[in-house]
Amino acid sequence: MSHPRRIVPLFALVYLGMLFGGALLKPGYSHMAQYISELGASGSPHARLISLAGFVPRLAPVRGASRLGYWLLMCEPLAWIGSALAPCDPGCPASGSVRQQLHTLLGVLTYGGTALGLLLATAPRLPAGIRLLWAGLAATWLLLFVLMAAPGLQAWRGLLQRLAEWLVYGALCVAAWRLGGPARATTSTRAPATGA
């Protein structure tokens, strides 16, 4: 791939298209109060279209020193596939049908796996400050997950989920953009040595 950065805006467009386009297809949907999974909830209008077009991710090549962390970051695209295969019940309750229970379990595994992936994917050669920022991102991701599951914050769970996703996806897009840039010159030009 000659220009791997191209996948970053493509990913962002697909995500935003699913999020806002899917909401346009679902009457009465609230970005503030409803989980993203509810766009493809069983029995919803256009649920199959939204699930297949928006929740099935596109593949991107990822390389790095800490492969386990990068593999754990695959929890996110796997969760989107899982949302297509095991859609939540209407209202996305904590318990419900077998599909809902699978959906909830997938969410718990996804948030835990992604947090661990964020911690492990930071290469040891990165500056300590950058590794600390990734650790803070992982902690914020988990905190927002706990908050969106809190019964007292049900009216805000959609917003909390989007905030969590936008923080993590934004950081991953910035990292992918920086890593996907053109190779920097590693050799310097020197004047030929002359003998005296």
Side-chain angles (χ1 to χ4, degrees), residues 173-187:
C173 282
V174 168
W177 185 266
R178 293 189 69 191
L179 292 172
R184 293 184 180 142
T186 56
T187 59

Side-chain angles (χ1 to χ4, degrees), residues 3-44:
H3 299 288
R5 281 185 171 177
R6 284 188 218 166
I7 199 150
V8 176
L10 179 63
F11 165 78
L13 288 173
V14 168
Y15 173 78
L16 292 173
M18 180 277 303
L19 188 63
F20 295 108
L24 290 173
L25 295 174
K26 186 172 172 80
Y29 181 79
S30 168
H31 286 284
M32 183 74 70
Q34 291 178 277
Y35 290 124
I36 295 168
S37 300
E38 292 182 67
L39 289 171
S42 56
S44 294

Side-chain angles (χ1 to χ4, degrees), residues 39-76:
L39 289 171
S42 56
S44 294
H46 310 289
R48 179 60 79 198
L49 171 67
I50 294 168
S51 292
L52 292 178
F55 291 149
V56 178
R58 281 59 183 166
L59 297 177
V62 179
R63 289 182 240 164
S66 185
R67 293 211 180 265
L68 177 59
Y70 290 119
W71 280 105
L72 283 169
L73 289 176
M74 289 300 292
C75 287
E76 278 305 297

Side-chain angles (χ1 to χ4, degrees), residues 190-196:
R190 294 182 186 180
T194 57

